[in-house]
Amino acid sequence: MKIGDISSPELHDDLRNQLCSQIESSIKDIEKHVPATAALPDSFSTYLRRTLSQLNSLSPFPNSLKLHIWKLSYRLWNACVDLSNSNAAGIQKHHEEHAKLRQVSADLIFLAADVSGIPSPAFKSASFFYKTGLIWHDLRKFELANYCFEKASDLLSKVDITNVSEYEEKKLLLDLNIARSRTAWEVSDRNLAIALLSRSKNVLFAFADNYKSLANQYLMFGKAMLSKNEVSGVNEALKLMNEALELCERGLTVVKRTGETLALKELRSKTLRFLGASHLQRDEFESVLKCVKVLRDGEKDQHPSLSVLAMKAWLGLGRFGEAEKELRGMVVDKGIPEGVWVSAVESYFQVVGAAGAPAVKGVFLGLLGRCHVSADAAIRVVNKVIGDPAGGGEEARLRAKVVSDLVSHDRILKLLNGDDASKERTAMHALLWNCAAEHFRSKDLQTSADIFEKSMLYVPSNIESRNLRAKGFRVLCLCYMGLSRLDRAQEYINEAEKLEPNIASAFLKFKIYLQKNECDGAITQVQALPSCLDFTAEFLSLAAHEAIACHCLPVAVSSLSLLLNFYSTGKQMPTTEVVVFRTLVTILAQDPQNDSDILKQMKRAHSRLREMSAENFFGKGEIGRRERNWFSVNAWNSGVKTGQENQYAICAEFFRLASEFYGASIDEEKEGNHVMVCKSLIMTVSAIISDEKLKTNTLLESEVKEAISLLDRAGKMLMSSSTEYDKLEAIIEPNFLFVHTWCAFDLHSRLDDTGSQQLLLIKRFANSKCCNPKHLLQIGIDASQGPSLNHEVAIFALSTCLSTLLALPSPDYASVALIVRKLVILRSIPGVDTNDDVTMETYKQAYRIMVGLKEGEYPVEEAKWLSVTAWNRAAVPVRMGHMDEAKRWMSMGLELANKVPGMQTYRSCMEDFIAGFEKKLSGA
């Protein structure tokens, strides 16, 4: 059966009493609850709301029941008060469950709001709703708070205010409107909020607290609008603050008691200060100064913010002198809190900039002198003076100078020197370090060094800070290196090395030696780098780059040479070994006197090549081939250079290395560049022979055989490329074939029983298309004299050369004459080919050559020599009695003389002698 179905009055009374008993029982349980043992369960409020709903459906109630309900409501309310006064963790003043119980109490008393026998029951019920609404407001349950406030407003609206005489009940009207206004403001219903505040003006009466409460609420709304920093918000804030100021003025005219007027005056001053702040946000600087003036004229104890407001207003008007006066006035006023003057300093410096740095310095030091300034404040001021040093410039430099003077002052150092200021000291060091680092990045090294030095003042000298101090000394070393003050830089790095002997300090010492152009010291320092515990091979590579940049090539050579020692260890290296060798050779090649050092490094590279294989040393693919070719070509070029400088011993070694490098195969090549290998081998042997001739030494038999083996190797490679000797010209230049032949002839001439082999070698070369007369002439001349003397080879080479020259359209008669002379001399040597007919044939051949030539075309001196030597050959036959033979030689000499211009006198004498000789023969 539902409650609504019960029609009997007796049953209604019984049910009402039963429900009241249930409510009373729950209240008793709440009163017995101990908050310290357990949190307040939500079952209380749930059960009470359900029971209250049932009781409400049984209205109207008799007055006796209303009185009972009224008492129950007060009991529940008092129980809630007791719970809120406890310090239990789960039952706080604004706990939601507690608020629900308050709401039940307010709803319960509302059922008996028209009870008789209790004065002003509606006001008391309204106060319950008002206080409950405040709790919901604090819990930010604005809908529930608004419900309570509206209930209270409805209850109060039915009561005649004139019948209310108690102060608390009168103030309730005002407090309720203000509370409703605050809730409306929170849900962004600003129009309602302002309207409720305006309505509150009608219930102020002559109480100072009322004026103060309403004015304070206007002020709070104004401050909220001001904090949004919006143009429309600032305008609205001004209106609200003006309302607050007007209420304060009205209250002061109404209230006469001194104690009450003090509170209003204080609120008025506060409102004026915020009005000044509002005008400041609107850039209405004159209005700000007016507010300040009113406040200063009306108050003995000046509020700390007045100086800040006045200073900012003067700054806004561009009157920096007045602003500075306000700032300096803070030094005198001991009542200004630290946070206020620090904020003022920040604001002043933000507007005035670097120009205001000296004033800020003076103010800050003045404050240090008159009162205790915290370390945090010092850091804030220094940070503001530093500003943003990024990008450098004159302003940043001026700021840094002021900071330097400020942080090195004894007062600041003393302030941050205590054990309790270690955190702030660290912060100051970090601040200065970052500032110096920005100046360093901006290339303002002098300023950077100055600030870095000042930052060292905030690093303790204990063991824990050794690394930090060493780091500071190293960065100072860098600064002074950049300023070219190398002695100062060296002092700092020496100090850093004492504190923390690591690779960074050692490397900076090396750089100083480089910049001082002390190569010996730099080399010594490079050799000391591997002894550092944190050494890595990258530092040797970096040292070489630094040395090259400083044009100190011996240091670069030393660094790279030392770096090469680490490749055999198998450690991870910064670059490939072949690149280091290539760089080292390139550096050495810049000095033409380094041929022996280049040879040493080339040999070292070759040794590593044999240990590692070509692909592991040079690399694979196209990269490996390029590296191989670089070493091959440089070895070849070095051989050519040293050969041109007559350094044949070194030249031979370079060409020998070139043959090895050219012969290295990459990526399954069958062989390397065999043509260049052949050329290199040929040039090697040629350089060996040239060195022998230069030093007038004689090669040992073992050396001769080794040279021959090199030539044989070259010859085999050539013949493997072409089975026909005549086709070798397409593979290798004729000059190299000549050098190969000449060297082989020279070397074989030193061995016994090689004459026939030499002749076959020359005949084979002479029959090839690669041969030319100059080559044969050279071979003939060499074979006709010196240790390589071989008459047979010489006569063959010269005869073949002569035939070749005469077959040319325009023979070189100087060479022809030389060959003829050589042939005449060779054939005149005893034991060779002394047949006079052969010799005569040589003279006749010379005569036939001269026939038809223009005068002087055949060398005159050579022709005279032939004529005279032919004539003189008649002397021996004459003495021997071989007259016919003698006459034949005389006739040859005369015939030759007839072809030689300038021998007329000789011819006359010859003709007379022959005529006399023939008469003598006839007479005999």
Coordinates of all heavy atoms in Angstrom, one line a residue, residues 549-587:
A549 N 95.8 22.9 -40.3 CA 95.2 24.2 -40.3 C 96.2 25.3 -39.9 O 96.2 26.4 -40.3 CB 94.0 24.2 -39.4
C550 N 97.2 24.9 -39.0 CA 98.2 25.8 -38.5 C 99.4 25.8 -39.3 O 100.4 26.4 -39.0 CB 98.5 25.5 -37.0 SG 97.2 25.8 -35.9
H551 N 99.4 25.1 -40.5 CA 100.6 24.9 -41.4 C 101.8 24.4 -40.6 O 102.9 24.8 -40.9 CB 100.9 26.3 -42.0 CG 99.7 26.9 -42.8 ND1 99.2 26.3 -43.9 CD2 98.9 27.9 -42.5 CE1 98.2 27.0 -44.4 NE2 97.9 28.0 -43.5
C552 N 101.6 23.6 -39.7 CA 102.7 23.0 -38.9 C 102.8 21.5 -39.4 O 102.3 20.6 -38.6 CB 102.4 23.1 -37.4 SG 103.9 22.8 -36.4
L553 N 103.3 21.3 -40.5 CA 103.3 20.0 -41.2 C 104.1 18.9 -40.4 O 103.6 17.7 -40.3 CB 103.8 20.1 -42.6 CG 103.0 21.0 -43.5 CD1 103.5 21.0 -44.9 CD2 101.5 20.7 -43.4
P554 N 105.2 19.2 -39.8 CA 105.9 18.2 -39.0 C 105.0 17.6 -37.9 O 105.1 16.4 -37.6 CB 107.1 18.9 -38.4 CG 107.4 20.0 -39.4 CD 106.0 20.4 -39.9
V555 N 104.2 18.4 -37.3 CA 103.3 18.0 -36.2 C 102.2 17.0 -36.8 O 101.9 16.0 -36.2 CB 102.7 19.1 -35.5 CG1 101.7 18.7 -34.4 CG2 103.7 20.0 -34.9
A556 N 101.7 17.4 -38.0 CA 100.7 16.6 -38.6 C 101.3 15.2 -39.0 O 100.6 14.2 -38.8 CB 100.2 17.3 -39.9
V557 N 102.5 15.2 -39.4 CA 103.2 14.0 -39.8 C 103.4 13.1 -38.6 O 103.1 11.9 -38.6 CB 104.6 14.3 -40.5 CG1 105.4 13.0 -40.6 CG2 104.4 14.9 -41.8
S558 N 103.8 13.7 -37.5 CA 104.0 13.0 -36.2 C 102.7 12.4 -35.7 O 102.6 11.2 -35.3 CB 104.6 13.9 -35.2 OG 104.7 13.2 -33.9
S559 N 101.6 13.2 -35.8 CA 100.3 12.7 -35.3 C 99.8 11.5 -36.2 O 99.3 10.5 -35.6 CB 99.2 13.8 -35.4 OG 99.7 15.0 -34.7
L560 N 99.9 11.6 -37.5 CA 99.4 10.5 -38.3 C 100.3 9.3 -38.2 O 99.8 8.2 -38.3 CB 99.4 11.0 -39.8 CG 98.3 12.1 -40.1 CD1 98.4 12.6 -41.5 CD2 96.9 11.6 -39.8
S561 N 101.6 9.5 -38.1 CA 102.5 8.4 -37.9 C 102.2 7.6 -36.6 O 102.2 6.4 -36.6 CB 104.0 8.9 -37.9 OG 104.3 9.5 -39.1
L562 N 101.9 8.4 -35.6 CA 101.5 7.7 -34.3 C 100.1 7.1 -34.4 O 99.9 6.0 -33.9 CB 101.5 8.8 -33.2 CG 101.3 8.3 -31.8 CD1 102.4 7.3 -31.4 CD2 101.2 9.5 -30.8
L563 N 99.2 7.7 -35.2 CA 97.9 7.1 -35.4 C 98.0 5.7 -36.1 O 97.3 4.8 -35.8 CB 97.0 8.0 -36.2 CG 95.6 7.5 -36.5 CD1 94.8 7.3 -35.3 CD2 94.9 8.6 -37.4
L564 N 99.0 5.6 -37.0 CA 99.1 4.3 -37.8 C 99.5 3.2 -36.9 O 99.2 2.0 -37.2 CB 100.1 4.5 -38.9 CG 99.7 5.4 -40.0 CD1 100.9 5.7 -41.0 CD2 98.6 4.7 -40.8
N565 N 100.1 3.5 -35.7 CA 100.6 2.4 -34.8 C 99.4 1.7 -34.2 O 99.5 0.5 -33.7 CB 101.5 3.0 -33.7 CG 102.8 3.5 -34.2 OD1 103.2 3.1 -35.3 ND2 103.4 4.4 -33.5
F566 N 98.2 2.3 -34.2 CA 97.1 1.7 -33.5 C 96.2 0.8 -34.4 O 95.3 0.1 -33.9 CB 96.2 2.8 -32.9 CG 96.8 3.6 -31.8 CD1 97.6 4.7 -32.0 CD2 96.6 3.1 -30.5 CE1 98.1 5.4 -30.9 CE2 97.2 3.8 -29.4 CZ 98.0 4.9 -29.7
Y567 N 96.5 0.8 -35.7 CA 95.7 0.0 -36.6 C 96.0 -1.5 -36.4 O 95.1 -2.3 -36.7 CB 95.9 0.4 -38.0 CG 95.1 1.7 -38.4 CD1 95.7 2.9 -38.2 CD2 93.8 1.6 -38.9 CE1 95.0 4.1 -38.5 CE2 93.1 2.7 -39.2 CZ 93.7 4.0 -39.0 OH 93.0 5.1 -39.3
S568 N 97.2 -1.8 -36.0 CA 97.5 -3.3 -35.9 C 96.9 -3.8 -34.6 O 96.9 -5.1 -34.4 CB 99.0 -3.4 -35.8 OG 99.6 -2.7 -34.8
T569 N 96.3 -3.0 -33.7 CA 95.7 -3.5 -32.5 C 94.3 -4.1 -32.7 O 93.8 -4.7 -31.8 CB 95.7 -2.4 -31.4 OG1 94.9 -1.3 -31.9 CG2 97.1 -1.8 -31.2
G570 N 93.7 -3.7 -33.8 CA 92.4 -4.2 -34.1 C 91.3 -3.4 -33.4 O 90.1 -3.8 -33.5
K571 N 91.6 -2.2 -32.9 CA 90.6 -1.4 -32.2 C 89.8 -0.6 -33.3 O 90.2 -0.5 -34.4 CB 91.2 -0.4 -31.3 CG 91.9 -1.1 -30.1 CD 92.5 0.0 -29.2 CE 93.2 -0.6 -28.0 NZ 93.8 0.4 -27.1
Q572 N 88.6 -0.1 -32.9 CA 87.8 0.7 -33.8 C 88.5 2.0 -34.0 O 88.9 2.7 -33.1 CB 86.4 1.0 -33.2 CG 85.5 1.7 -34.1 CD 85.0 0.9 -35.3 OE1 85.0 -0.4 -35.2 NE2 84.7 1.5 -36.4
M573 N 88.7 2.4 -35.3 CA 89.5 3.6 -35.6 C 88.6 4.6 -36.3 O 87.6 4.2 -36.9 CB 90.7 3.2 -36.5 CG 91.6 2.2 -35.9 SD 92.3 2.8 -34.4 CE 93.5 4.0 -35.0
P574 N 89.0 5.9 -36.3 CA 88.1 6.9 -36.8 C 88.0 6.9 -38.3 O 87.1 7.4 -38.9 CB 88.8 8.2 -36.3 CG 90.2 7.8 -36.0 CD 90.2 6.4 -35.6
T575 N 89.1 6.4 -39.0 CA 89.0 6.3 -40.5 C 89.9 5.1 -40.9 O 90.6 4.5 -40.1 CB 89.6 7.6 -41.0 OG1 89.5 7.6 -42.5 CG2 91.1 7.8 -40.7
T576 N 89.8 4.8 -42.2 CA 90.6 3.6 -42.7 C 92.1 3.9 -42.7 O 92.5 5.1 -42.8 CB 90.1 3.3 -44.1 OG1 90.2 4.4 -44.9 CG2 88.6 2.9 -44.0
E577 N 92.8 2.9 -42.6 CA 94.3 3.0 -42.6 C 94.8 3.6 -43.9 O 95.8 4.4 -43.8 CB 94.9 1.6 -42.3 CG 96.4 1.7 -42.0 CD 96.9 0.3 -41.6 OE1 96.2 -0.7 -41.6 OE2 98.1 0.2 -41.2
V578 N 94.2 3.2 -45.0 CA 94.8 3.7 -46.3 C 94.6 5.2 -46.4 O 95.4 5.9 -47.0 CB 94.1 2.9 -47.4 CG1 92.6 3.3 -47.6 CG2 94.8 3.2 -48.7
V579 N 93.5 5.7 -45.8 CA 93.3 7.2 -45.9 C 94.3 7.9 -45.1 O 94.8 8.9 -45.5 CB 91.9 7.5 -45.4 CG1 91.7 9.0 -45.2 CG2 90.8 6.9 -46.3
V580 N 94.7 7.3 -43.9 CA 95.8 7.9 -43.1 C 97.1 7.9 -43.9 O 97.8 8.9 -43.9 CB 95.9 7.2 -41.8 CG1 97.0 7.8 -40.9 CG2 94.6 7.2 -41.0
F581 N 97.4 6.8 -44.5 CA 98.7 6.8 -45.3 C 98.6 7.8 -46.4 O 99.6 8.5 -46.7 CB 98.8 5.4 -45.9 CG 99.6 4.4 -44.9 CD1 99.0 3.3 -44.4 CD2 100.9 4.7 -44.6 CE1 99.6 2.4 -43.6 CE2 101.6 3.8 -43.8 CZ 101.0 2.7 -43.2
R582 N 97.5 7.8 -47.1 CA 97.4 8.8 -48.2 C 97.5 10.2 -47.7 O 98.2 11.0 -48.3 CB 96.0 8.6 -48.9 CG 95.7 9.7 -49.9 CD 94.6 9.2 -50.9 NE 93.5 8.7 -50.3 CZ 92.5 9.4 -49.7 NH1 92.6 10.7 -49.8 NH2 91.4 8.9 -49.2
T583 N 96.9 10.6 -46.6 CA 97.0 11.9 -46.1 C 98.5 12.2 -45.7 O 99.0 13.3 -45.9 CB 96.1 12.1 -44.8 OG1 94.7 11.7 -45.2 CG2 96.1 13.5 -44.3
L584 N 99.1 11.2 -45.0 CA 100.5 11.4 -44.6 C 101.4 11.7 -45.8 O 102.2 12.6 -45.7 CB 100.9 10.2 -43.8 CG 102.3 10.2 -43.2 CD1 102.5 11.4 -42.3 CD2 102.5 8.9 -42.4
V585 N 101.3 10.9 -46.8 CA 102.1 11.1 -48.0 C 101.8 12.4 -48.7 O 102.8 13.1 -49.1 CB 101.9 9.9 -49.0 CG1 102.6 10.2 -50.3 CG2 102.4 8.6 -48.4
T586 N 100.6 12.8 -48.7 CA 100.2 14.1 -49.3 C 100.9 15.2 -48.5 O 101.4 16.2 -49.1 CB 98.7 14.3 -49.3 OG1 98.1 13.2 -50.0 CG2 98.3 15.6 -49.9
I587 N 100.9 15.2 -47.2 CA 101.5 16.2 -46.4 C 103.0 16.2 -46.6 O 103.6 17.3 -46.8 CB 101.2 16.0 -44.9 CG1 99.7 16.2 -44.6 CG2 102.0 16.9 -44.0 CD1 99.2 15.8 -43.2

